[in-house]
Amino acid sequence: MSLVNVSDVSAGLFVLGAVGILLIFSLLSLGILRMFETRYRAGWFYFGSTAVSAVVFFVLLNMWYL
């Protein structure tokens, strides 16, 4: 096992990744929570928001860093 050099990762890429991952998984967990509460309309709204935010995240990642 060796050390990983993360000095080449820019601050913008790190912030985009952190905010994107937090947003996607928080919306997903809220959707699951609303489904358990039998509030299906709100749950599907959160699932849709998760899909939209994931697409926006990957488009931004592709445009700026890949």
Side-chain angles (χ1 to χ4, degrees):
M1 203 175 234
S2 64
L3 295 175
V4 177
N5 184 9
V6 293
S7 63
D8 294 333
V9 176
S10 67
L13 177 61
F14 177 78
V15 169
L16 179 68
V19 169
I21 289 171
L22 286 172
L23 178 67
I24 290 168
F25 286 114
S26 65
L27 288 173
L28 184 64
S29 66
L30 282 172
I32 293 170
L33 178 68
R34 294 302 185 257
M35 288 292 186
F36 277 121
E37 292 176 346
T38 63
R39 297 176 59 196
Y40 297 113
R41 185 173 180 186
W44 285 114
F45 175 75
Y46 280 118
F47 287 148
S49 299
T50 301
V52 168
S53 64
V55 167
V56 168
F57 171 69
F58 287 120
V59 166
L60 288 175
L61 186 68
N62 193 22
M63 281 181 6
W64 291 344
Y65 295 106
L66 295 180

